[in-house]
Amino acid sequence: MSENSGGLLLVVSAPSGAGKTSICRDIMKMFPDIVYSVSYTTRPPRPGEVDGRDYRFISDEAFRAGVAKGDFIEWNEVYGYLYGTSGSDIKKLLEKDNDIILDLDTKGAVNLKKIFPEGIYIFISPPSLKELKKRLSKRGSDNAKTLKTRLDNALEEMKAAFWYDYIIFNEKLPVAVEQFKSVYLAEKCRRERLEHKLEKLMKELEE
Ligand code: 5GP
């Protein structure tokens, strides 16, 4: 499904506390044509989260039935809950030439790369461990145990950073957003992605 499509897959991973959500939100404000891939999850919604916008919140049984049917192009268990990307959702978006942001954990990103090697894999990192700890402890809804788990998980996720195409150290949000924007715009101009347009132009010139 990937070969015929003109859309760009931007796969974004980050440990919790790196500021991924804020960066993606600003990028999507800047580029309203970029579509966010809404994942399926068995995690209950957090306050303010909307079904169908942030996630599609489904039961464990429904998720596992989806896995059995092959509905997910990638899925993983994160913090005890299941998260997955619907293959048909991505196919539909790419067929419409949409550029897509996917927010995946590092394992999900590695799995997706097997299907979409032409995707752009971006890792967002906190600038330092000190800053990461500060940001995580500011998250009021997390208790001490969750904080420790999130920190351990964050460090685990950081180990995967070496695998990605691009790394953005999010020290200052506006700078990180500019860096993301630069990656996106430069990737849009890659020759491999534009060859079909060039060929069309050449045909017109030859006529
Ligand atoms: P949260 O529950 O904080 O929204 O997300 C927890 C983790 O699940 C994050 O690392 C996020 O990137 C990851 N995640 C969200 N959706 C998906 C998905 O569809 N697939 C995979 N593999 N990970 C996901």
Side-chain angles (χ1 to χ4, degrees), residues 21 41 43-55 57 83:
T21 313
T41 186
R43 168 171 78 59
R46 295 192 185 117
E49 283 185 331
V50 176
D51 185 46
R53 185 193 68 186
D54 301 291
Y55 282 105
F57 298 98
Y83 295 82

Side-chain angles (χ1 to χ4, degrees), residues 60-173:
D60 210 69
E61 299 78 70
F63 194 102
R64 290 192 187 279
V67 171
K69 279 194 285 161
D71 288 349
F72 299 116
I73 41 170
E74 67 72 37
W75 66 277
N76 193 23
E77 187 177 330
V78 190
Y79 308 125
Y81 295 111
L82 303 171
Y83 295 82
T85 306
S86 151
S88 63
D89 285 358
I90 296 297
K91 188 168 183 270
K92 273 184 221 147
L93 290 173
L94 287 175
E95 277 168 1
K96 283 193 266 170
D97 280 355
N98 280 123
D99 293 337
I100 312 167
I101 287 188
L102 295 100
D103 172 349
L104 305 183
D105 80 317
T106 52
K107 199 170 156 211
V110 169
N111 287 336
L112 197 74
K113 188 153 186 177
K114 293 174 196 152
I115 311 169
F116 290 106
E118 73 281 32
I120 304 150
Y121 293 79
I122 304 170
F123 190 87
I124 298 174
S125 170
S128 65
L129 180 62
K130 194 172 152 218
E131 181 62 23
L132 177 67
K133 278 185 183 162
K134 200 170 105 191
R135 289 184 195 170
L136 285 180
S137 52
K138 264 194 200 156
R139 297 197 162 181
S141 58
D142 289 339
N143 60 34
K145 190 168 170 277
T146 316
L147 178 63
K148 168 89 175 65
T149 312
R150 288 211 169 232
L151 192 59
D152 288 347
N153 277 306
L155 298 177
E156 203 48 47
E157 291 275 285
M158 286 298 299
K159 289 183 192 161
F162 291 90
W163 172 88
Y164 284 76
D165 300 320
Y166 295 95
I167 313 287
I168 294 175
F169 286 104
N170 181 17
E171 188 163 8
K172 299 243 183 306
L173 180 65

Side-chain angles (χ1 to χ4, degrees), residues 20-31:
K20 173 180 60 183
T21 313
S22 310
I23 295 176
C24 292
R25 203 180 35 222
D26 284 6
I27 287 292
M28 284 187 294
K29 255 190 232 153
M30 233 176 242
F31 301 100

